[in-house]
Amino acid sequence: LVRLRARLARSQNTFGKTLLGLLSRDHLDDDAWDEIEDTLIGADIGVSVARQITDDLRTRVQVLGSRTPDEVRALLREELVKQIGPDLDRSLRTDRHGEKPAVLMVVGVNGTGKTTTTGKLARVLVGDGKTVVLGAADTFRAAAADQLQTWGERVGAQVVRKGEGADPASVAFDAVKQGIDTKVDTVIIDTAGRLHTKTGLMDELGKVKRVVEKQAAVDEVLLVLDATTGQNGMQQARVFAAVVNITGVVLTKLDGTAKGGIVVQVQRELGVPVKLVGLGEGPDDLAPFEPGAFVDAILG
Ligand code: GDP
């Protein structure tokens, strides 16, 4: 939480401060409420959600009459947490069926932070005492396998890779096989995310998943989204959701944007929870997503 707060402080705090400032005004006229709504929309929270939060706040502020800063903060906190969904199950399914290994696929557009997230995730799992195999199924991007190899060495995970241009599904198959043969707890498959043709992507990801499922159930398909890309990221999310059954979202680069509201939008549209957030490029910069802590970090 301390980390999250520090990381978000730089980028998101202005959003929280602006909202708190607006809500603390003595006279909240229509213009002020419009500003509040605009601030929420500016944070990529989505127009309808922004309106709903604004309406709810307006009703509650009217009931309250005069407001102390603490009351304003508590109201705003409650509304934001409510919209983010405090009751969604955000746990990673790494132990669900008790059979080893659990298999996680990491998908998303190139550049969103897939490989980095795969490495960080391995770090978390190794830290929890689990053994991990990483599958470098992003065979399209030349440096991806090297990058993953470096992560593997860094965090203490095995890496399965093949040459550039190899069939991603065969790498995924081998990674799961090695996971089974060496009895590791978790296999994480890093996939390629080129979006130039939707059919190509669909074929490839579908094939990777089918091939993996010949040997083991896929427990999680994590979609990596770059929080700084706003509506573009939402568009990508729609494409991936149409192609694979996503079980959770990892929102990366939250350290570099005031547009954390995308959390709300992506959950609404995809119907899957944000499970993890990326807060930097380092090995420990991956955190579980907790709505309360997230909102507290925003509000400062
Ligand atoms: P991929 O193509 O999706 O596998 O993306 P990479 O994992 O190679 O990441 C692309 C760039 O984003 C790299 O420079 C990463 O270090 C950086 N990156 C990934 N996650 C984060 C994050 O949470 N915060 C920041 N600031 N940078 C990140």
Side-chain angles (χ1 to χ4, degrees), residues 5 8 10 15 17 25 29 34 44 51 61 80 84 104 109 115 152 163-164 173 179 204 210 249 263 271 283 294:
R5 195 166 275 167
L8 290 176
R10 266 172 282 146
F15 160 75
K17 291 273 175 328
R25 283 186 190 171
D29 53 14
D34 283 349
D44 268 343
R51 178 149 309 148
V61 163
L80 292 173
I84 293 173
L104 286 68
V109 171
T115 305
E164 194 186 331
F173 184 90
E204 183 175 299
R210 276 196 311 280
V249 172
V263 166
F294 180 68

Side-chain angles (χ1 to χ4, degrees), residues 93 107 220-223 237 240-242 244-249 270-272:
R93 295 183 233 158
V107 306
E220 289 272 3
V221 179
L222 296 172
L223 173 67
F240 277 91
V244 274
N245 191 12
I246 292 160
T247 60
V249 172
L270 302 191
V272 291

Side-chain angles (χ1 to χ4, degrees), residues 89-99 101-104 125 130 185-187 217-222 245-248 272-273 275:
D89 178 10
R90 299 175 194 276
S91 59
L92 273 187
R93 295 183 233 158
T94 50
D95 290 310
R96 189 171 46 142
H97 46 70
E99 284 167 32
V103 179
L104 286 68
L125 294 171
K130 293 184 188 294
D185 300 303
T186 325
V187 177
V218 173
D219 296 273
E220 289 272 3
V221 179
L222 296 172
N245 191 12
I246 292 160
T247 60
V272 291
K275 293 192 168 180

Side-chain angles (χ1 to χ4, degrees), residues 13 37 89 116 126 142 194 209 248 252 258 267 277 282:
N13 248 336
E37 193 173 318
D89 178 10
T116 309
V126 170
R194 55 192 190 279
K209 190 153 184 277
T252 59
Q267 290 184 159
V277 290

